[in-house]
Amino acid sequence: MAAFDINHAGGLAPAVPREGAGASPCSACSIRNLTICAPLNDIEQTQMAAIVTNIEQPPGTPLFDEGEPADHVFNVTAGTIKVYKLLPDGRRQVTGFLFAGDFLGLANQDTYAYSAEAVTACHLCRFPRRKLEDLMTRFPKVEQRLLNIASNELAVAQEQMLLLGRKTAREKIASFLLLLAKRAQQRGQKDDSVSVPMSRTDIGDYLGLTTETVSRTFTQLKKANLIRLLPNSQVELSQRAELEDIAGGF
Amino acid sequence: MAAFDINHAGGLAPAVPREGAGASPCSACSIRNLTICAPLNDIEQTQMAAIVTNIEQPPGTPLFDEGEPADHVFNVTAGTIKVYKLLPDGRRQVTGFLFAGDFLGLANQDTYAYSAEAVTACHLCRFPRRKLEDLMTRFPKVEQRLLNIASNELAVAQEQMLLLGRKTAREKIASFLLLLAKRAQQRGQKDDSVSVPMSRTDIGDYLGLTTETVSRTFTQLKKANLIRLLPNSQVELSQRAELEDIAGGF
DNA sequence: CGCCCTCTTGAAATTGTTCAATAGAGGTGG
DNA sequence: CCACCTCTATTGAACAATTTCAAGAGGGCG
């Protein structure tokens, strides 16, 4: 999906032994420089690869549920994941969508604080939590990277609180589309048209709206010629500047 | 305010030199075990104390503003701080209230992602960011602690998104009061009546409501005999179980 | 080709907001 | 110590945004 980004293509890479069967695919990983593995050299990378399992997650399948023992952490390598929390009566708040390069499963309790489910077909790297923790004490760089990731997520969460608490439906949808565009751009995808793989319900649960309001607002933006709804869940951001104006500085 | 909690009261503490003038007050710090300094022994603590400045923050005064260079991080030792983000037109979202023991200023950009202001008179420990970072590489325990704190804040932020996106005014207020009670309890205060030092506007900006709705909802809960509004911004939680029921698992 | 699920659209209902006025609390100065 | 003044909180009524309830349209998959 994303373009390959071999970020150590110089001639100095040491000869890393490739194990037979499940040989470390990490050195060819296209999103390596986006994620937790970024600060590691090839040798360290191999140690990381030794504790990792590659898993595939069909669309709509749960990765884990809130309250389960948090035995693993994950790194998304392809696809879209949603994470959410539920109220006792079933109301749902999607707290984030995760894409290739994103890390997930951070928890300082021994149980997950939220549920995670594949939106599209996903590929992930799965790390046993315990082993990653061991590895972190050996490679403080990884811990630093994780703190960095956490700080980032915190800033994103605060931005989302601003959206949820203070923005109108129109502003929320505009912000959402721009966020998707920004994330796609980070992964090296074109940003004139955005892929919106999640359902209206998921979007509503992310933005604190109902499906109907999401739908109506899309229609409204479409009629104002700010966006175009294309086939294959693609949305063209025809008037990016105008959208940014509506979104309120995001 | 909170009870003293000297957590290393054994007989093995080494003789720590106390500098003359601004001698490390840390060893008598009542919230030490709640915060970033918790994992340090007395010697390490002294090194920490060497880079710290104690500051006092009168009510209503800004600590820093969003977008300013993030040169310092802080630790609240007394009082209440609010942190918030603004939209271009002035709408405000309070993303958190901070109390004694709370850490603030985490940012991986070089500027603050939010503004911070004293609600009540506050005392804080101020660390130069650069120096704390140096210290972290020397004491990985501190970095671990910070990652822990960040993970915690992340879980709190997700809970808040659930509140902002999916709870009714009544549920929001109930959750808010229970949160204050829980935080007060953590600091070792009684939890039958809660101190609510912030204005209705601040509460509204925290919960995604208007002042009027906050006020009306307080009145409504009061009339239902779930709370009592006492003098000095104290609120008695008369029917804790009922409130928890309304709050929806918080 | 048709069925099912999601998305869209419409109309009524509701929650929370906005605008406006009153009440109350805390602080100041006479 | 009290009166006054100002700021904050409360209350009321009209309004607006979003939700809810309901029905129809579209699209993808077997």
Side-chain angles (χ1 to χ4, degrees), chain A residues 169 209-210 212-213 216:
Chain A
L209 299 171
T210 58
E212 293 93 331
T213 301
R216 276 187 251 275

Side-chain angles (χ1 to χ4, degrees), chain B residues 84-142:
Chain B
Y84 59 89
K85 288 176 74 80
L86 295 171
L87 285 172
D89 65 0
R91 277 174 289 170
R92 193 176 64 143
Q93 178 66 37
V94 171
T95 56
F97 292 108
L98 303 177
F99 308 98
D102 288 341
F103 180 82
L104 123 117
L106 206 68
N108 58 342
Q109 309 302 322
D110 50 357
T111 57
Y112 294 114
Y114 50 83
S115 306
E117 185 182 312
V119 173
T120 65
C122 289
H123 288 249
L124 302 98
C125 293
R126 186 181 70 194
F127 304 84
R129 218 163 112 74
R130 189 70 64 83
K131 287 183 181 168
L132 184 68
E133 276 163 11
D134 293 349
L135 206 135
M136 287 198 305
T137 61
R138 218 168 341 134
F139 304 137
K141 283 184 289 189
V142 175

